[in-house]
Amino acid sequence: MATQASRAAARAMLSPAVVLLLIWMIVPLAMTLWFSFQRYNLLYPDRAGFIGFGNYINFVATSGFWEAIVNTLLLVGGVLAITVIGGILIALLIDQPIWGQGPVRILVISPFFIMPPVAALIWKNMFMNPSNGLFAEAARFLGLPPFDFLGQAPLASIVLIVAWQWLPFATLILLTALQSLDSERMEAAEMDGAGPFARFWFIALPHLARAITVVILIQTIFLLGIFGEILVTTNGGPGNASTTLTYLVYKEALLDFDAGTAAAGGVVAVILANIVALFLMRAIGRNLDA
Amino acid sequence: MGRITLEGVAKRFGEAEVIPPLDLDIPDGSFCVFVGPSGCGKSTLLRLIAGLEDTSAGRILIDGQDATRVPPAKRGLAMVFQSYALYPHMSVRANIAFPLRMAGMAREERDRRVEEAARVLNLTPYLDRRPGQLSGGQRQRVAIGRAIVREPKAFLFDEPLSNLDAALRVGMRIEITELHERLRTTMIYVTHDQVEAMTMADRIVVLNAGKIEQVGSPLELYREPRNRFVAGFIGSPRMNFIEGAEAARHGAHAIGIRPEHVTPHPSSGDWKGVVGVAEHLGSDTFLHVHDTGLAETITVRAEGEIGLNPGDTVYLTPQPDRIHRFAANGDRL
Ligand SMILES: Nc1ncnc2c1ncn2[C@@H]1O[C@H](COP(=O)(O)OP(=O)(O)OP(=O)(O)O)[C@@H](O)[C@H]1O
Ligand SMILES: [Mg+2]
């Protein structure tokens, strides 16, 4: 964008997209904000009107609100930890010249092509089911009592399922970053006396910092909204053990038909997302500067 | 100490034999330059010595010890790469200190050596910068600094100057030569620039398709090239080769004469031709002479300005004692 003319042209070209996006985002946000200050329960359509922060007080007072926040953060944090660490390990592995590299790479990214609820159902019914699941079968083979994953450790199980889905994304981004590492730099480190671990720690990992940041930021955006996997596996239960903020909003809106409180919940979720984003940008955002 | 001996060293990549078995002895303290055209295996040979590639056959001795299976870090050699291969996220100080840190050296000793290397290489003001904030020449010096702090037995350079502009290249050439004068450590230097080879080396190894064509001092190679390949590769502009009747008159399949050993004259001489292009460098003029009936073009160096222009007729006289004679297989007669 060097000249005045090209800058003006760029703005003109961009404006339809910007306007569309603006409407797309502003209208739902404005409606959510509007409803969050209204008494609006689908079961009692006659009791309408402005109630100030009543919905917010309602939502925060819902049983399981704080638990939902903690669960949301645990879900996001757990999946990030598994995908980033696992992604680095797998990327290091499939970056090696191995026989059958092409098919292996395609296999590694394939979980990403499976629709989230389908993936979750497969995990629930074919792997984690305590009576017919593969894990139960394996446990029985080893002479151990089968473990009821979704009953005993619901949140951890969901973390596992979601992490499995997002691992390919992390692996792919980290693999491309790893491949852009100059081989002469690794050889220089080798000549300088750095062993494999030192080379990873001092050379490869700093090189991956930017890719790791991208993975964390993009995944956080999507992980805060995880819903389908919870719906088809645990329904947020047992109790509130796997209810996240998103799922709590769903419960308010579509199980209790309280649109007002659900809207307030939506706004709380937006605020939480912004807090997380702010925190992340503070912590790792400088990695994105060239 | 840093004497490097190759005994029957060969390298194959799959089916392709990049380096046929070769023997080479590089004495301690020498400045040895590998030259040859692109793709002739210079880098491969250097990487074999460094240990970054495994040999397919033969032995590599460092100070008489068999180092063929010794990992690169344990060979006591330091390498400077064409791309510098600096660590971009570390300061210049940390870059230079990295090998010492990997060796587990104490902090004070490390700092002392880094300061010393920075002083020698004029890098002191830049110690706290990142490599990305340095010019090409400064980066090159950091890479050299990282090599010298280790006090290696020998330095290996792979085309270290090829990313620099012409003026800087001349400057760095002199700096590296001075560094060698001061340290007296063996240096092996790869280049495809024969001017670098001639000016820096005390021994030149001319490679062609992985084979050693000749080893010798720069002037030996210039005065007595063993074959046509070396004769054509060493010296700039290239030696003129003449075949046919004129060569037969000298009892050879081909004769070679360097441009600086032919005297042009406007009216009398042995060979008659027409000036094609005249390149005026100020101190010298290079004439490209056509239509001599001997070779397509004969290049001639004339000192200073001479009054010959394109299209003029010119007479050339070679200095008889500077004529090189070659057999049909290219060997010197
Ligand atoms: N890893 C490899 N696998 C297969 N062939 C290789 C490999 N590395 C180098 N070669 C081949 O070996 C030959 C010598 O390569 P090398 O890099 O040593 O050339 P060079 O003399 O350094 O050339 P340049 O001056 O262009 O750097 C080339 O023909 C190249 O194609
Ligand atoms: Mg090379």
Side-chain angles (χ1 to χ4, degrees), chain B residues 11-25:
Chain B
K11 179 66 185 173
R12 281 185 297 275
F13 288 111
E15 289 295 294
E17 183 165 75
V18 172
I19 297 186
L22 59 77
D23 300 300
L24 180 64
D25 184 41

Side-chain angles (χ1 to χ4, degrees), chain A residues 125-212:
Chain A
N125 296 320
M126 296 185 68
F127 290 99
M128 293 175 166
N129 188 299
S131 45
N132 330 319
L134 272 182
F135 291 155
E137 200 66 44
R140 269 196 293 276
F141 180 77
L142 295 173
L144 300 169
F147 185 73
D148 181 6
F149 284 89
L150 292 164
Q152 301 294 317
L155 192 65
S157 304
I158 291 174
V159 166
L160 192 67
I161 295 172
V162 177
W164 177 79
Q165 287 177 327
W166 282 92
L167 202 53
F169 172 76
T171 305
L172 215 57
I173 303 255
L174 294 169
L175 179 65
T176 48
L178 209 57
Q179 284 171 337
S180 73
L181 178 55
D182 177 17
S183 64
E184 282 199 347
R185 201 183 296 159
M186 283 302 233
E187 284 172 349
E190 194 179 345
M191 299 275 312
D192 282 346
F197 287 105
R199 287 206 293 279
F200 171 73
W201 186 255
F202 291 108
I203 313 297
L205 204 56
H207 178 77
L208 289 179
R210 188 180 302 191
I212 292 174

Side-chain angles (χ1 to χ4, degrees), chain A residues 218-267:
Chain A
I218 293 184
Q219 285 200 12
T220 304
I221 295 170
F222 285 96
L223 294 178
L224 281 170
I226 286 288
F227 170 73
E229 289 87 336
I230 303 174
L231 181 76
V232 300
T233 52
T234 63
N235 265 315
N240 286 324
S242 58
T243 298
T244 61
L245 208 52
T246 321
Y247 197 79
L248 197 64
V249 173
Y250 158 77
K251 269 208 245 180
E252 290 293 339
L254 295 169
L255 300 183
D256 299 346
F257 300 105
D258 187 348
T261 305
V267 176

Side-chain angles (χ1 to χ4, degrees), chain A residues 182 184-195 198 201-204 206-207, chain B residues 47 50 72-73 77 79 81 83 85-90 98-99 101-102 146 150:
Chain A
D182 177 17
E184 282 199 347
R185 201 183 296 159
M186 283 302 233
E187 284 172 349
E190 194 179 345
M191 299 275 312
D192 282 346
W201 186 255
F202 291 108
I203 313 297
H207 178 77
Chain B
R47 291 165 60 82
L77 310 175
M79 185 147 166
F81 291 84
S83 67
L86 299 179
Y87 312 129
H89 52 280
M90 298 182 196
F98 189 73
R101 193 168 157 199
M102 288 298 112
R146 193 171 62 183
R150 290 177 53 193

Side-chain angles (χ1 to χ4, degrees), chain A residues 88-101:
Chain A
I88 290 173
L89 293 179
I90 296 179
L92 284 173
L93 202 64
I94 61 182
D95 191 35
Q96 306 297 319
I98 48 170
W99 187 82
Q101 204 168 34

Side-chain angles (χ1 to χ4, degrees), chain B residues 13-14 16 18-19 36-45 47 53 82 158-159 190-192 207:
Chain B
F13 288 111
V18 172
I19 297 186
S38 187
C40 70
K42 306 179 295 287
S43 299
T44 307
L45 194 55
R47 291 165 60 82
E53 302 275 0
Q82 179 174 1
D158 192 356
E159 307 203 20
V190 165
T191 180
H192 58 252
L207 289 167

